Amino acid sequence: MELQPDIDPQETQEWLDALDSVIVSAGGERAHFLLEMLIEKARRSGAYLPYSARTAYINTIPTGKEAHSPGNNAIEHRVRSYVRWNAMAMVLRANKETNVGGHIASFASAATLYDVGYNHFWRAPCETHGGDLVYVQGHSSPGVYAYAFLSGELSQDQLDNFRQEAGGNGLSSYPHPWLMPTFWQFPTVSMGLGPIMAIYQARFMKYLGSREMVNTEGRKIWAFMGDGEMDEPESLGAISLASRENLDNLIFVVNCNLQRLDGPVRGNGKIIQELEGAFRGAGWNVIKVIWGSYWDPLLAKDTKGLLQKRMMECVDGEYQNFKSRDGAYVRKYFFGKYPELLEMVANMSDDDIWRLNRGGHDPYKVYAAYAAAVKHTGQPTVILAKTIKGYGMGEAGEAQNITHQQKKMGTTSLKAFRNRFGLDIPDDKIDEVPYLTFAKDSPEFTYMEERRKALGGAFHRRKTKSESLQVPPLSAFESLLKASAKGHESSTTMAYVRILNILVKDKKIGKHVVPIVADESRTFGMEGMFRQLGIWSSVGQLYTPQDADQLMYYKEDKHGQILQEGICEAGAMSSWIAAATSYSTHGIQMIPFFIFYSMFGFQRVGDLAWAAGDMRCRGFLLGGTAGRTTLNGEGLQHEDGHSHIVASTIPNCVSYDPAFAYELAVIIQDGLRRMYQEQEDVYYYITVMNENYSHPEMPVGAEKNILRGMYLFKLGNKSSKRLRVQLLGAGAILREVIAAAEILKQEYNVDADIWGVTSFNELRREALGVMRWNMLHPTQPAKLSHVGNCLKGHKGPVVAATDYMKIYADQIREFVPGRYCVLGTDGFGRSDTREKLRHFFEVDRFYITVAALKALSEEEKISNKQVADAIKKYGIDPEKPNPAIS
């Protein structure tokens, strides 16, 4: 905001003198109050006062109000220097021969930010404290490994296996809990995911505290990210929620080194000022750490504000350029703009000017910011710390556009790095890039141990197990295993709600269930849970709901169990992730069920779903109103024909597409057993539909095969010598398959064995495992896949039909004996009735019948004319547009 010209400097000075008097006599808080009252009075009087959430380009905390670090700065500096070197050495050594990549510059800019946390703030879980949670900036992983190595948590062999994991005992490129399950807690290198997951983790921690599930007192969530990362929509997309929920257990630390991966973040502007405006405007407590201690004397002399003016004038591109040059350049192009500023630094050498440091590299400034953040209540805090990308790399990459890609440094640069940080490495060893360590009895190692002991112990300890839960047996869901009452129709979504109601009432696990919905609870039939369980709110319900006179009114509660996230699938998914990893982060198993429109699920939050696999999540994702043809009337962007294909790409995501209530009950009960009793690191994706129909009784003994992905729903006439086909159906289309079998029998004298396929994905995974075993054990009897075992001895061609793209069912083709025909819903969805959609996408009972007849004709069991007659009989237009491309 640009100020207007001062038309009365004398009056202005009188007001400023009055303000100074208030500050001296009554303090800054009183002065702030008076200013706010004056602003409010001016606005009520009709004055136009544009709002600006940005403050001067200086540190938020005045020098005189900084908390002082109790640590030994000399020892901490030496430890930090060793960590810097080892982080760099790890990358350089890994790339001498293997060329596996790695990053030096990001941690080089953030070393002080992490070091102060390790030494003074980050508490490990212990008897008296639940422990803090830290979301590490992904590209800074070498620095975290270097610290863990120096403190004895990692070995040199492990460091030398950085990014070399195939042979075991390696270190993952970035934070990956799947690959390092006892070390990393959160995968964060898919930029933008760390910030939003941290926000919802902090919120979930409040949820657990409100429900008295765990003691969350004093615990903090720290999330580190880069300033370039803040361009990701997920980074800033939920910051208003954090302030609205008063998440004072959340601290963001943005490493503002002014560079993205390829160059300046805001070369023509100021990223710190931009982020300050965004966060302050959203209601956060903002702490800027821009200038280091060497600037304090100059700022104290800046009585006219000229230095601050110059600081504000310079854009980030200039600040980057200053740090890629030297002191003489800074003198000429920064201070040299105004003669008064040149005079201010006249008694400083070029080296003195070059030593003017940035706040993010000053442990005193960083400590003061962290201390203020930890004490602050009522708001989340963001610390905007100004740093230099590639700090210490010198001509090899300091503040240069190419610094992010630097993976090698020459002898000259290594020597400069060594000299800059005072490291004891002789010239004849410098090119070996040796790791540096402290003797166990050294003051530095002792200091590191003492600091961590005071904070609860070693920090990098991920918990892989928690207390097992006793899940209910399948018999608890007996009502869903039986056929529907006569005349009663329901959807699998309603079956899910019935299962959920059974679980929340279970005395052993009921309180562990976390129902989550992004919105449209009523669409999914969950409104009955509003009153029963309550929607969690940190403040309860401060209003009388519009529907208070109804049985199922909207009820918010401090002890509520439902997480109603609003129209934000990414936020709801982040809440689900927080609950699905609570066994590790909070030492208690929670059972999250997140139901969403399947089209807006995996497609929209696929990156988070992949991270959930990496994070070893345990829980249930429910894709509601699933399939391409079940959500009649909604159209292209609502109808899902591919979520199961996306789910198949995640190795530990177990996915199912059930058609009947008993299938759903069997799948969920076994999922509970696997995840919460046996504590397998898998999670489930299950699709459910909103179409109402009658549900049959579960075939006797079908449970195991339902879980394997394929079971015999109905056997055709055993003794019949008529032609035979095998019909495979899944989800919404299984009932069309059943109807097609009846048409084939009544109109074409063809018997059909009907197979319910609950998961083509699981069938393929099992079959691939069998094929691999057979390849590697050539001298042993070959095994048969579950698909092969099911179809063994069953004659006739095989026809499969689903409400998903053909590739979903087609993926088991090589394991199906004999002829195999697949029908599916390729193409864009569209609005219409279910019947017309299934005919349009060629998956209804008539197309299935024609497909079966065509397969028989190809085996020369019937004539082609019979197929043509059927096409005409069922009103199928052979020349109609292909739905896959129309």
Side-chain angles (χ1 to χ4, degrees), residues 725-745:
V725 293
Q726 306 300 313
L727 300 184
L728 279 58
I733 306 302
L734 177 55
R735 292 170 58 252
E736 294 297 317
V737 166
I738 294 169
E742 189 64 23
I743 293 173
L744 287 166
K745 179 180 178 182

Side-chain angles (χ1 to χ4, degrees), residues 123-181:
R123 302 195 59 164
C126 60
E127 292 181 1
T128 58
H129 195 278
D132 296 325
L133 300 175
V134 177
Y135 289 74
V136 171
Q137 184 184 8
H139 290 106
S140 291
S141 61
V144 175
Y145 292 140
Y147 179 88
F149 166 68
L150 207 56
S151 62
E153 296 177 62
L154 295 177
S155 68
Q156 181 170 325
D157 284 345
Q158 287 175 294
L159 262 61
D160 275 336
N161 280 335
F162 174 59
R163 290 191 167 205
Q164 299 164 71
E165 301 170 277
N169 200 38
L171 298 183
S172 59
S173 52
Y174 306 116
H176 291 306
W178 183 260
L179 298 169
M180 297 180 67

Side-chain angles (χ1 to χ4, degrees), residues 330-350:
V330 175
R331 183 191 299 275
K332 180 177 179 180
Y333 290 99
F334 179 78
F335 293 103
K337 183 172 182 179
Y338 299 107
E340 297 92 333
L341 293 185
L342 273 178
E343 181 62 29
M344 184 184 288
V345 297
N347 64 343
M348 296 175 65
S349 67
D350 289 347

Side-chain angles (χ1 to χ4, degrees), residues 1-9 12 48-50:
M1 182 177 65
E2 189 174 336
L3 294 177
Q4 296 178 356
D6 190 348
I7 60 174
D8 192 343
T12 302
Y48 172 65
L49 297 177

Side-chain angles (χ1 to χ4, degrees), residues 595-669:
I595 187 168
F596 48 82
Y597 270 82
S598 62
M599 185 65 165
F600 305 147
F602 266 105
Q603 176 168 284
R604 181 162 294 181
V605 298
D607 204 4
L608 283 164
W610 181 262
D614 191 350
M615 217 177 311
R616 297 172 174 262
C617 285
R618 303 170 189 166
F620 294 94
L621 297 175
L622 282 298
T625 58
R628 188 80 83 199
T629 68
T630 59
L631 193 59
N632 56 327
E634 289 290 342
L636 186 150
Q637 285 194 290
H638 281 66
E639 293 171 347
D640 165 38
H642 51 273
S643 66
H644 275 288
I645 297 165
V646 181
S648 74
T649 66
I650 301 171
N652 54 344
C653 175
V654 182
S655 60
Y656 289 98
D657 182 32
F660 297 126
Y662 66 79
E663 295 175 350
L664 188 63
V666 168
I667 291 164
I668 289 180
Q669 192 278 334

Side-chain angles (χ1 to χ4, degrees), residues 705-723:
N705 286 343
I706 287 172
L707 296 172
R708 288 172 179 158
M710 179 176 173
Y711 69 100
L712 184 61
F713 175 78
K714 185 179 181 181
L715 184 66
N717 190 331
K718 273 186 178 182
S719 57
S720 170
K721 294 184 179 179
R722 294 181 295 192
L723 294 176

